[in-house]
Amino acid sequence: TLAKVSGFGFKNVELAGTYGMAPQKFKELLEAHKLKPVSGINGNVAFRGNSLETSEITARYGSSIMTMKGMIKSLQYPEAEISLSSPIFYLRDINFAHNRPDAGIRRFNAAFTVKNGSYTFKSVSGLINSSNFNISGVYLTGRNPETSLSITSTKLDFDDLRVFASPDKPADKPANTRPDVKLKLDVTSGNYGKLKFTNLNATAQQESGTVYLQNVTAGVLGGKLTAKGRFAPGGGQGDRYDLTLD
């Protein structure tokens, strides 16, 4: 049955039990079919003419407790406004940090709209270890997905971001196609490894897995650093850099 559900393209399933199986065995079966359990849904949905609005709905998504509120202004021309929050949103529930099952975003909050395959993020914020962030921007789906994001932070440790790195794939399996990403970064203070910095401003673009740094400025070691170039994450083989520093 789960194979058929997965074959239809569903990613999430609402559960009312484990169908006589031990919980761990049923969890492994869901993971084998790439399905995420959704349970404990509690809330109301109200239809008002041609619109729809929910109360605050609570649910468990995988291992994360989520609170959601949404509205669709017109069912004829759907445009959804959605807000999400969670005390801790476990990254394993969105297929990140498989080797760090405890990794998550604390104080997670998100507000975004969805229309015609376009996701507009008004604000996505939270804490990863000691790093904080607030993200806004647009994600366009389709055959050639694109992402344009602006990220601000008062404190950022780049090592904290490694939980988002994709696991190394066997040589006989092609890597997943990554969407093109345009990024603006504004960080008050932070560190990259043992190197501390202040007032980091950067614009970058990712294409086919390679990150092109178009303009980077930061306060480092009592002076000012400017840089441009590119680097390619290499996973277990190490990152590859081609940078010009000033």
Side-chain angles (χ1 to χ4, degrees), residues 145-190:
E146 296 181 8
T147 304
S148 179
L149 299 175
S150 176
I151 303 176
T152 60
S153 173
T154 59
K155 182 181 180 183
L156 181 64
D157 183 344
F158 276 89
D159 285 341
D160 289 340
L161 303 183
R162 291 187 178 274
V163 295
F164 291 103
S166 300
D168 294 340
K169 290 185 176 296
D172 59 342
K173 290 189 177 181
N176 293 333
T177 301
R178 299 180 181 180
D180 292 342
V181 177
K182 295 180 181 179
L183 180 67
K184 291 182 65 177
L185 191 62
D186 185 357
V187 181
T188 304
S189 66

mmCIF file of all heavy atoms in Angstrom, residues 145-190:
data_model
loop_
_atom_site.group_PDB
_atom_site.id
_atom_site.type_symbol
_atom_site.label_atom_id
_atom_site.label_comp_id
_atom_site.label_asym_id
_atom_site.label_seq_id
_atom_site.Cartn_x
_atom_site.Cartn_y
_atom_site.Cartn_z
ATOM 1 N N PRO A 145 14.253 25.723 -12.197
ATOM 2 C CA PRO A 145 13.965 26.478 -10.972
ATOM 3 C C PRO A 145 15.044 27.513 -10.673
ATOM 4 O O PRO A 145 16.222 27.316 -10.959
ATOM 5 C CB PRO A 145 13.916 25.385 -9.893
ATOM 6 C CG PRO A 145 14.702 24.245 -10.452
ATOM 7 C CD PRO A 145 14.481 24.290 -11.937
ATOM 8 N N GLU A 146 14.612 28.627 -10.101
ATOM 9 C CA GLU A 146 15.515 29.707 -9.738
ATOM 10 C C GLU A 146 15.180 30.200 -8.336
ATOM 11 O O GLU A 146 14.023 30.188 -7.923
ATOM 12 C CB GLU A 146 15.400 30.877 -10.718
ATOM 13 C CG GLU A 146 15.809 30.547 -12.144
ATOM 14 C CD GLU A 146 15.689 31.750 -13.060
ATOM 15 O OE1 GLU A 146 15.441 32.866 -12.538
ATOM 16 O OE2 GLU A 146 15.833 31.588 -14.283
ATOM 17 N N THR A 147 16.216 30.663 -7.637
ATOM 18 C CA THR A 147 16.040 31.190 -6.294
ATOM 19 C C THR A 147 16.812 32.488 -6.162
ATOM 20 O O THR A 147 17.960 32.585 -6.591
ATOM 21 C CB THR A 147 16.546 30.189 -5.234
ATOM 22 O OG1 THR A 147 15.888 28.931 -5.406
ATOM 23 C CG2 THR A 147 16.277 30.701 -3.829
ATOM 24 N N SER A 148 16.178 33.489 -5.568
ATOM 25 C CA SER A 148 16.835 34.758 -5.273
ATOM 26 C C SER A 148 16.547 35.103 -3.822
ATOM 27 O O SER A 148 15.390 35.304 -3.447
ATOM 28 C CB SER A 148 16.325 35.860 -6.204
ATOM 29 O OG SER A 148 16.949 37.094 -5.904
ATOM 30 N N LEU A 149 17.595 35.157 -2.984
ATOM 31 C CA LEU A 149 17.408 35.309 -1.547
ATOM 32 C C LEU A 149 18.282 36.430 -0.988
ATOM 33 O O LEU A 149 19.383 36.680 -1.478
ATOM 34 C CB LEU A 149 17.755 34.003 -0.817
ATOM 35 C CG LEU A 149 16.941 32.765 -1.156
ATOM 36 C CD1 LEU A 149 17.511 31.561 -0.419
ATOM 37 C CD2 LEU A 149 15.470 32.962 -0.818
ATOM 38 N N SER A 150 17.778 37.063 0.055
ATOM 39 C CA SER A 150 18.534 38.021 0.844
ATOM 40 C C SER A 150 18.579 37.510 2.279
ATOM 41 O O SER A 150 17.538 37.205 2.862
ATOM 42 C CB SER A 150 17.875 39.406 0.789
ATOM 43 O OG SER A 150 18.559 40.314 1.632
ATOM 44 N N ILE A 151 19.780 37.401 2.835
ATOM 45 C CA ILE A 151 19.954 36.836 4.176
ATOM 46 C C ILE A 151 20.643 37.863 5.062
ATOM 47 O O ILE A 151 21.691 38.409 4.698
ATOM 48 C CB ILE A 151 20.791 35.543 4.145
ATOM 49 C CG1 ILE A 151 20.140 34.506 3.221
ATOM 50 C CG2 ILE A 151 20.959 34.976 5.551
ATOM 51 C CD1 ILE A 151 20.971 33.245 3.060
ATOM 52 N N THR A 152 20.059 38.125 6.215
ATOM 53 C CA THR A 152 20.688 39.001 7.202
ATOM 54 C C THR A 152 20.916 38.210 8.490
ATOM 55 O O THR A 152 20.162 37.292 8.823
ATOM 56 C CB THR A 152 19.819 40.234 7.504
ATOM 57 O OG1 THR A 152 18.552 39.809 8.019
ATOM 58 C CG2 THR A 152 19.589 41.059 6.244
ATOM 59 N N SER A 153 21.968 38.570 9.211
ATOM 60 C CA SER A 153 22.297 37.883 10.456
ATOM 61 C C SER A 153 23.128 38.820 11.324
ATOM 62 O O SER A 153 23.971 39.573 10.820
ATOM 63 C CB SER A 153 23.091 36.600 10.168
ATOM 64 O OG SER A 153 23.559 36.004 11.369
ATOM 65 N N THR A 154 22.908 38.774 12.634
ATOM 66 C CA THR A 154 23.765 39.526 13.544
ATOM 67 C C THR A 154 24.944 38.689 14.015
ATOM 68 O O THR A 154 25.950 39.230 14.462
ATOM 69 C CB THR A 154 22.971 40.014 14.763
ATOM 70 O OG1 THR A 154 22.410 38.889 15.452
ATOM 71 C CG2 THR A 154 21.849 40.953 14.340
ATOM 72 N N LYS A 155 24.833 37.355 13.881
ATOM 73 C CA LYS A 155 25.930 36.463 14.254
ATOM 74 C C LYS A 155 25.839 35.202 13.420
ATOM 75 O O LYS A 155 24.804 34.530 13.426
ATOM 76 C CB LYS A 155 25.876 36.100 15.744
ATOM 77 C CG LYS A 155 27.028 35.220 16.196
ATOM 78 C CD LYS A 155 26.918 34.871 17.677
ATOM 79 C CE LYS A 155 28.079 33.985 18.113
ATOM 80 N NZ LYS A 155 27.964 33.582 19.533
ATOM 81 N N LEU A 156 26.915 34.873 12.693
ATOM 82 C CA LEU A 156 26.889 33.728 11.789
ATOM 83 C C LEU A 156 28.208 32.970 11.843
ATOM 84 O O LEU A 156 29.279 33.543 11.620
ATOM 85 C CB LEU A 156 26.630 34.190 10.357
ATOM 86 C CG LEU A 156 26.545 33.096 9.288
ATOM 87 C CD1 LEU A 156 25.347 32.176 9.556
ATOM 88 C CD2 LEU A 156 26.440 33.704 7.896
ATOM 89 N N ASP A 157 28.128 31.690 12.152
ATOM 90 C CA ASP A 157 29.259 30.767 12.081
ATOM 91 C C ASP A 157 29.051 29.902 10.844
ATOM 92 O O ASP A 157 28.105 29.125 10.784
ATOM 93 C CB ASP A 157 29.317 29.907 13.342
ATOM 94 C CG ASP A 157 30.522 28.964 13.366
ATOM 95 O OD1 ASP A 157 31.150 28.744 12.302
ATOM 96 O OD2 ASP A 157 30.830 28.428 14.451
ATOM 97 N N PHE A 158 29.929 30.043 9.845
ATOM 98 C CA PHE A 158 29.727 29.328 8.592
ATOM 99 C C PHE A 158 29.765 27.811 8.785
ATOM 100 O O PHE A 158 29.171 27.071 7.996
ATOM 101 C CB PHE A 158 30.762 29.755 7.550
ATOM 102 C CG PHE A 158 30.374 31.000 6.813
ATOM 103 C CD1 PHE A 158 30.730 32.252 7.290
ATOM 104 C CD2 PHE A 158 29.619 30.934 5.649
ATOM 105 C CE1 PHE A 158 30.365 33.408 6.622
ATOM 106 C CE2 PHE A 158 29.244 32.080 4.973
ATOM 107 C CZ PHE A 158 29.614 33.318 5.455
ATOM 108 N N ASP A 159 30.437 27.338 9.821
ATOM 109 C CA ASP A 159 30.443 25.898 10.079
ATOM 110 C C ASP A 159 29.048 25.386 10.422
ATOM 111 O O ASP A 159 28.729 24.219 10.168
ATOM 112 C CB ASP A 159 31.408 25.559 11.219
ATOM 113 C CG ASP A 159 32.866 25.625 10.787
ATOM 114 O OD1 ASP A 159 33.114 25.567 9.558
ATOM 115 O OD2 ASP A 159 33.742 25.746 11.661
ATOM 116 N N ASP A 160 28.195 26.256 10.990
ATOM 117 C CA ASP A 160 26.823 25.850 11.307
ATOM 118 C C ASP A 160 26.028 25.539 10.049
ATOM 119 O O ASP A 160 25.047 24.782 10.097
ATOM 120 C CB ASP A 160 26.109 26.949 12.101
ATOM 121 C CG ASP A 160 26.645 27.088 13.521
ATOM 122 O OD1 ASP A 160 27.262 26.121 14.008
ATOM 123 O OD2 ASP A 160 26.431 28.153 14.125
ATOM 124 N N LEU A 161 26.421 26.118 8.914
ATOM 125 C CA LEU A 161 25.675 25.925 7.671
ATOM 126 C C LEU A 161 25.995 24.604 6.992
ATOM 127 O O LEU A 161 25.320 24.219 6.034
ATOM 128 C CB LEU A 161 25.959 27.082 6.706
ATOM 129 C CG LEU A 161 25.659 28.489 7.234
ATOM 130 C CD1 LEU A 161 25.914 29.520 6.146
ATOM 131 C CD2 LEU A 161 24.226 28.590 7.735
ATOM 132 N N ARG A 162 27.017 23.913 7.469
ATOM 133 C CA ARG A 162 27.394 22.652 6.827
ATOM 134 C C ARG A 162 26.333 21.564 7.003
ATOM 135 O O ARG A 162 26.362 20.564 6.300
ATOM 136 C CB ARG A 162 28.744 22.158 7.355
ATOM 137 C CG ARG A 162 29.913 23.050 6.915
ATOM 138 C CD ARG A 162 31.247 22.467 7.308
ATOM 139 N NE ARG A 162 32.342 23.296 6.835
ATOM 140 C CZ ARG A 162 32.882 23.200 5.622
ATOM 141 N NH1 ARG A 162 32.409 22.316 4.766
ATOM 142 N NH2 ARG A 162 33.876 23.991 5.276
ATOM 143 N N VAL A 163 25.397 21.772 7.929
ATOM 144 C CA VAL A 163 24.325 20.782 8.096
ATOM 145 C C VAL A 163 23.427 20.732 6.865
ATOM 146 O O VAL A 163 22.684 19.773 6.666
ATOM 147 C CB VAL A 163 23.470 21.076 9.353
ATOM 148 C CG1 VAL A 163 24.300 20.928 10.605
ATOM 149 C CG2 VAL A 163 22.827 22.453 9.276
ATOM 150 N N PHE A 164 23.488 21.795 6.027
ATOM 151 C CA PHE A 164 22.674 21.814 4.813
ATOM 152 C C PHE A 164 23.376 21.175 3.625
ATOM 153 O O PHE A 164 22.795 21.063 2.549
ATOM 154 C CB PHE A 164 22.304 23.257 4.437
ATOM 155 C CG PHE A 164 21.355 23.891 5.396
ATOM 156 C CD1 PHE A 164 21.810 24.808 6.339
ATOM 157 C CD2 PHE A 164 20.009 23.581 5.376
ATOM 158 C CE1 PHE A 164 20.934 25.410 7.229
ATOM 159 C CE2 PHE A 164 19.126 24.173 6.266
ATOM 160 C CZ PHE A 164 19.594 25.080 7.190
ATOM 161 N N ALA A 165 24.632 20.778 3.801
ATOM 162 C CA ALA A 165 25.375 20.171 2.691
ATOM 163 C C ALA A 165 24.773 18.823 2.343
ATOM 164 O O ALA A 165 24.369 18.047 3.217
ATOM 165 C CB ALA A 165 26.852 20.015 3.061
ATOM 166 N N SER A 166 24.714 18.535 1.048
ATOM 167 C CA SER A 166 24.198 17.243 0.594
ATOM 168 C C SER A 166 25.219 16.160 0.872
ATOM 169 O O SER A 166 26.421 16.382 0.732
ATOM 170 C CB SER A 166 23.887 17.287 -0.909
ATOM 171 O OG SER A 166 22.926 18.272 -1.191
ATOM 172 N N PRO A 167 24.786 14.944 1.270
ATOM 173 C CA PRO A 167 25.726 13.861 1.496
ATOM 174 C C PRO A 167 26.395 13.452 0.194
ATOM 175 O O PRO A 167 25.850 13.601 -0.881
ATOM 176 C CB PRO A 167 24.837 12.726 2.046
ATOM 177 C CG PRO A 167 23.470 13.047 1.535
ATOM 178 C CD PRO A 167 23.381 14.537 1.485
ATOM 179 N N ASP A 168 27.638 12.970 0.310
ATOM 180 C CA ASP A 168 28.346 12.500 -0.877
ATOM 181 C C ASP A 168 27.587 11.355 -1.515
ATOM 182 O O ASP A 168 27.073 10.465 -0.829
ATOM 183 C CB ASP A 168 29.762 12.020 -0.503
ATOM 184 C CG ASP A 168 30.631 13.180 -0.019
ATOM 185 O OD1 ASP A 168 30.283 14.339 -0.331
ATOM 186 O OD2 ASP A 168 31.642 12.919 0.648
ATOM 187 N N LYS A 169 27.523 11.359 -2.834
ATOM 188 C CA LYS A 169 26.827 10.305 -3.564
ATOM 189 C C LYS A 169 27.840 9.336 -4.151
ATOM 190 O O LYS A 169 28.951 9.716 -4.508
ATOM 191 C CB LYS A 169 25.964 10.902 -4.688
ATOM 192 C CG LYS A 169 24.763 11.675 -4.162
ATOM 193 C CD LYS A 169 23.895 12.142 -5.300
ATOM 194 C CE LYS A 169 22.635 12.822 -4.782
ATOM 195 N NZ LYS A 169 21.764 11.916 -4.039
ATOM 196 N N PRO A 170 27.478 8.046 -4.268
ATOM 197 C CA PRO A 170 28.378 7.096 -4.915
ATOM 198 C C PRO A 170 28.711 7.549 -6.321
ATOM 199 O O PRO A 170 27.942 8.237 -6.989
ATOM 200 C CB PRO A 170 27.568 5.787 -4.917
ATOM 201 C CG PRO A 170 26.553 5.964 -3.832
ATOM 202 C CD PRO A 170 26.239 7.420 -3.796
ATOM 203 N N ALA A 171 29.886 7.138 -6.796
ATOM 204 C CA ALA A 171 30.356 7.570 -8.109
ATOM 205 C C ALA A 171 29.429 7.132 -9.230
ATOM 206 O O ALA A 171 29.347 7.785 -10.269
ATOM 207 C CB ALA A 171 31.768 7.028 -8.359
ATOM 208 N N ASP A 172 28.700 6.013 -9.041
ATOM 209 C CA ASP A 172 27.835 5.524 -10.104
ATOM 210 C C ASP A 172 26.450 6.171 -10.091
ATOM 211 O O ASP A 172 25.600 5.837 -10.897
ATOM 212 C CB ASP A 172 27.675 3.998 -10.010
ATOM 213 C CG ASP A 172 27.089 3.556 -8.675
ATOM 214 O OD1 ASP A 172 27.122 4.363 -7.718
ATOM 215 O OD2 ASP A 172 26.600 2.421 -8.596
ATOM 216 N N LYS A 173 26.222 7.123 -9.162
ATOM 217 C CA LYS A 173 24.942 7.809 -9.097
ATOM 218 C C LYS A 173 25.150 9.287 -9.381
ATOM 219 O O LYS A 173 25.951 9.945 -8.715
ATOM 220 C CB LYS A 173 24.290 7.639 -7.710
ATOM 221 C CG LYS A 173 23.796 6.222 -7.453
ATOM 222 C CD LYS A 173 22.984 6.170 -6.180
ATOM 223 C CE LYS A 173 22.410 4.776 -5.947
ATOM 224 N NZ LYS A 173 21.597 4.722 -4.711
ATOM 225 N N PRO A 174 24.433 9.831 -10.376
ATOM 226 C CA PRO A 174 24.583 11.250 -10.679
ATOM 227 C C PRO A 174 24.038 12.121 -9.563
ATOM 228 O O PRO A 174 23.080 11.763 -8.887
ATOM 229 C CB PRO A 174 23.766 11.428 -11.970
ATOM 230 C CG PRO A 174 22.746 10.329 -11.915
ATOM 231 C CD PRO A 174 23.422 9.167 -11.241
ATOM 232 N N ALA A 175 24.665 13.277 -9.368
ATOM 233 C CA ALA A 175 24.190 14.201 -8.342
ATOM 234 C C ALA A 175 22.893 14.852 -8.789
ATOM 235 O O ALA A 175 22.624 15.011 -9.976
ATOM 236 C CB ALA A 175 25.254 15.286 -8.083
ATOM 237 N N ASN A 176 22.055 15.225 -7.808
ATOM 238 C CA ASN A 176 20.810 15.900 -8.121
ATOM 239 C C ASN A 176 21.092 17.275 -8.725
ATOM 240 O O ASN A 176 22.046 17.958 -8.344
ATOM 241 C CB ASN A 176 19.967 16.071 -6.851
ATOM 242 C CG ASN A 176 19.479 14.744 -6.312
ATOM 243 O OD1 ASN A 176 19.316 13.788 -7.057
ATOM 244 N ND2 ASN A 176 19.261 14.686 -5.001
ATOM 245 N N THR A 177 20.268 17.674 -9.678
ATOM 246 C CA THR A 177 20.403 18.990 -10.272
ATOM 247 C C THR A 177 20.047 20.053 -9.241
ATOM 248 O O THR A 177 18.998 19.990 -8.614
ATOM 249 C CB THR A 177 19.488 19.127 -11.499
ATOM 250 O OG1 THR A 177 19.842 18.114 -12.444
ATOM 251 C CG2 THR A 177 19.649 20.495 -12.142
ATOM 252 N N ARG A 178 20.936 21.032 -9.071
ATOM 253 C CA ARG A 178 20.695 22.074 -8.097
ATOM 254 C C ARG A 178 20.131 23.308 -8.788
ATOM 255 O O ARG A 178 20.593 23.679 -9.875
ATOM 256 C CB ARG A 178 21.998 22.439 -7.371
ATOM 257 C CG ARG A 178 22.612 21.277 -6.599
ATOM 258 C CD ARG A 178 23.888 21.711 -5.924
ATOM 259 N NE ARG A 178 24.510 20.616 -5.190
ATOM 260 C CZ ARG A 178 25.648 20.717 -4.503
ATOM 261 N NH1 ARG A 178 26.287 21.878 -4.472
ATOM 262 N NH2 ARG A 178 26.141 19.677 -3.871
ATOM 263 N N PRO A 179 19.151 23.971 -8.184
ATOM 264 C CA PRO A 179 18.608 25.171 -8.820
ATOM 265 C C PRO A 179 19.626 26.296 -8.788
ATOM 266 O O PRO A 179 20.483 26.370 -7.903
ATOM 267 C CB PRO A 179 17.388 25.490 -7.949
ATOM 268 C CG PRO A 179 17.706 24.893 -6.616
ATOM 269 C CD PRO A 179 18.493 23.644 -6.913
ATOM 270 N N ASP A 180 19.541 27.202 -9.769
ATOM 271 C CA ASP A 180 20.376 28.394 -9.754
ATOM 272 C C ASP A 180 19.936 29.283 -8.609
ATOM 273 O O ASP A 180 18.742 29.471 -8.361
ATOM 274 C CB ASP A 180 20.269 29.139 -11.081
ATOM 275 C CG ASP A 180 20.897 28.353 -12.228
ATOM 276 O OD1 ASP A 180 21.690 27.436 -11.947
ATOM 277 O OD2 ASP A 180 20.604 28.668 -13.388
ATOM 278 N N VAL A 181 20.912 29.864 -7.903
ATOM 279 C CA VAL A 181 20.615 30.667 -6.717
ATOM 280 C C VAL A 181 21.371 31.987 -6.793
ATOM 281 O O VAL A 181 22.576 32.010 -7.062
ATOM 282 C CB VAL A 181 21.013 29.922 -5.417
ATOM 283 C CG1 VAL A 181 20.750 30.807 -4.199
ATOM 284 C CG2 VAL A 181 20.263 28.606 -5.291
ATOM 285 N N LYS A 182 20.651 33.087 -6.563
ATOM 286 C CA LYS A 182 21.264 34.394 -6.395
ATOM 287 C C LYS A 182 21.116 34.778 -4.923
ATOM 288 O O LYS A 182 20.045 34.625 -4.341
ATOM 289 C CB LYS A 182 20.588 35.434 -7.279
ATOM 290 C CG LYS A 182 20.773 35.177 -8.774
ATOM 291 C CD LYS A 182 20.072 36.240 -9.605
ATOM 292 C CE LYS A 182 20.255 35.955 -11.086
ATOM 293 N NZ LYS A 182 19.542 36.972 -11.933
ATOM 294 N N LEU A 183 22.205 35.299 -4.340
ATOM 295 C CA LEU A 183 22.226 35.482 -2.891
ATOM 296 C C LEU A 183 22.854 36.817 -2.523
ATOM 297 O O LEU A 183 23.881 37.218 -3.079
ATOM 298 C CB LEU A 183 23.031 34.349 -2.241
ATOM 299 C CG LEU A 183 23.175 34.346 -0.730
ATOM 300 C CD1 LEU A 183 21.835 34.086 -0.072
ATOM 301 C CD2 LEU A 183 24.192 33.288 -0.303
ATOM 302 N N LYS A 184 22.208 37.511 -1.569
ATOM 303 C CA LYS A 184 22.782 38.686 -0.938
ATOM 304 C C LYS A 184 22.907 38.398 0.552
ATOM 305 O O LYS A 184 21.968 37.901 1.172
ATOM 306 C CB LYS A 184 21.904 39.925 -1.162
ATOM 307 C CG LYS A 184 21.870 40.425 -2.592
ATOM 308 C CD LYS A 184 21.019 41.688 -2.713
ATOM 309 C CE LYS A 184 21.633 42.835 -1.937
ATOM 310 N NZ LYS A 184 20.844 44.094 -2.095
ATOM 311 N N LEU A 185 24.077 38.707 1.110
ATOM 312 C CA LEU A 185 24.364 38.358 2.499
ATOM 313 C C LEU A 185 24.823 39.600 3.247
ATOM 314 O O LEU A 185 25.686 40.343 2.775
ATOM 315 C CB LEU A 185 25.451 37.280 2.530
ATOM 316 C CG LEU A 185 25.741 36.577 3.860
ATOM 317 C CD1 LEU A 185 24.513 35.824 4.349
ATOM 318 C CD2 LEU A 185 26.915 35.613 3.681
ATOM 319 N N ASP A 186 24.231 39.812 4.418
ATOM 320 C CA ASP A 186 24.583 40.952 5.266
ATOM 321 C C ASP A 186 24.707 40.434 6.700
ATOM 322 O O ASP A 186 23.706 40.096 7.333
ATOM 323 C CB ASP A 186 23.501 42.034 5.161
ATOM 324 C CG ASP A 186 23.853 43.302 5.930
ATOM 325 O OD1 ASP A 186 24.905 43.331 6.593
ATOM 326 O OD2 ASP A 186 23.068 44.261 5.871
ATOM 327 N N VAL A 187 25.937 40.358 7.201
ATOM 328 C CA VAL A 187 26.212 39.769 8.509
ATOM 329 C C VAL A 187 26.970 40.759 9.377
ATOM 330 O O VAL A 187 28.012 41.292 8.966
ATOM 331 C CB VAL A 187 27.039 38.474 8.377
ATOM 332 C CG1 VAL A 187 27.286 37.857 9.751
ATOM 333 C CG2 VAL A 187 26.330 37.471 7.469
ATOM 334 N N THR A 188 26.478 41.006 10.582
ATOM 335 C CA THR A 188 27.126 41.959 11.478
ATOM 336 C C THR A 188 28.456 41.422 11.993
ATOM 337 O O THR A 188 29.471 42.132 11.992
ATOM 338 C CB THR A 188 26.197 42.293 12.658
ATOM 339 O OG1 THR A 188 24.949 42.780 12.162
ATOM 340 C CG2 THR A 188 26.827 43.350 13.558
ATOM 341 N N SER A 189 28.476 40.170 12.449
ATOM 342 C CA SER A 189 29.721 39.564 12.938
ATOM 343 C C SER A 189 29.610 38.051 12.818
ATOM 344 O O SER A 189 28.512 37.490 12.775
ATOM 345 C CB SER A 189 30.004 39.959 14.390
ATOM 346 O OG SER A 189 29.012 39.422 15.258
ATOM 347 N N GLY A 190 30.781 37.400 12.763
ATOM 348 C CA GLY A 190 30.772 35.941 12.663
ATOM 349 C C GLY A 190 32.163 35.392 12.477
ATOM 350 O O GLY A 190 33.163 36.075 12.734
#
